[in-house]
Amino acid sequence: MTHALDELTFVSLVWSSAVLEKVESQISDEDLSEMTDLIRELETLLGQDDVPLELKTAIEKHLEGIKRSINLYSIGGVEKIRESLERSVGALHSDVEVLKEAVDSGDKTQTTVLKKLVSFIDRTTAAANKATNTAKSIVGLGNAITDLTKLLGP
């Protein structure tokens, strides 16, 4: 029994590996629905009169980019959601005083808004990670196959 792969098989495996690097798993409809529901809940909370304007503004400006990336998911894919999350979470540091005031206020509505924001970010991050990790596993498999073909030789 020979372990050598013919040229056609080798080229096919290399091509598959290259194509699989561009493959991205999909976020499930259930996850997308849950993220959209969390956005609606957060927007409803932010619409309440007893939420300070500074807190509303701080959260809305960070939420908008993530919301847009979720709405355009079919075009931008998981990576755009991940990028938007990273930008928004990183930019939250610019509003740390407003967020700290909300925490320190002890106000139930403000605390609920912050908890809902954290829940939304956690859920969206988990869904994006799940899809990305699956894609990375497929790419890893493709790379392993390519490495194996190189090891086995022509």
Side-chain angles (χ1 to χ4, degrees):
M1 179 169 116
T2 180
H3 290 286
L5 299 173
D6 64 17
E7 185 176 349
L8 178 59
T9 303
F10 179 74
V11 169
S12 296
L13 289 170
V14 170
W15 179 84
S16 295
S17 177
V19 169
L20 286 173
E21 287 182 15
K22 297 177 183 3
V23 171
E24 177 176 85
S25 293
Q26 300 295 309
I27 293 179
S28 72
D29 290 341
E30 180 181 318
D31 286 342
L32 284 171
S33 177
E34 187 176 345
M35 289 185 289
T36 303
D37 290 346
L38 286 168
I39 289 172
R40 277 193 219 109
E41 291 171 22
L42 191 52
E43 289 174 333
T44 299
L45 287 170
L46 290 172
Q48 294 181 8
D49 293 334
D50 53 344
V51 177
L53 182 60
E54 297 83 14
L55 182 60
K56 285 181 188 183
T57 303
I59 292 176
E60 286 174 345
K61 73 180 176 185
H62 300 297
L63 183 63
E64 188 57 38
I66 301 171
K67 181 179 168 183
R68 190 174 324 114
S69 68
I70 291 170
N71 289 336
L72 296 173
Y73 166 70
S74 63
I75 298 169
V78 174
E79 196 54 38
K80 292 297 180 189
I81 292 174
R82 177 185 295 288
E83 289 170 4
S84 181
L85 276 167
E86 289 171 357
R87 273 192 308 274
S88 293
V89 170
L92 279 171
H93 291 286
S94 67
D95 293 308
V96 71
E97 289 301 317
V98 172
L99 300 174
K100 186 172 176 3
E101 285 177 25
V103 169
D104 292 344
S105 74
D107 179 76
K108 185 178 179 183
T109 302
Q110 291 182 54
T111 303
T112 302
V113 167
L114 293 175
K115 286 181 180 178
K116 188 61 68 174
L117 175 63
V118 169
S119 176
F120 167 71
I121 290 171
D122 284 348
R123 186 68 195 103
T124 303
T125 301
N129 284 342
K130 183 169 66 173
T132 303
N133 289 340
T134 302
K136 285 181 181 176
S137 296
I138 292 170
V139 170
L141 176 61
N143 290 337
I145 290 171
T146 301
D147 292 343
L148 177 63
T149 59
K150 289 177 184 176
L151 180 67
L152 294 177

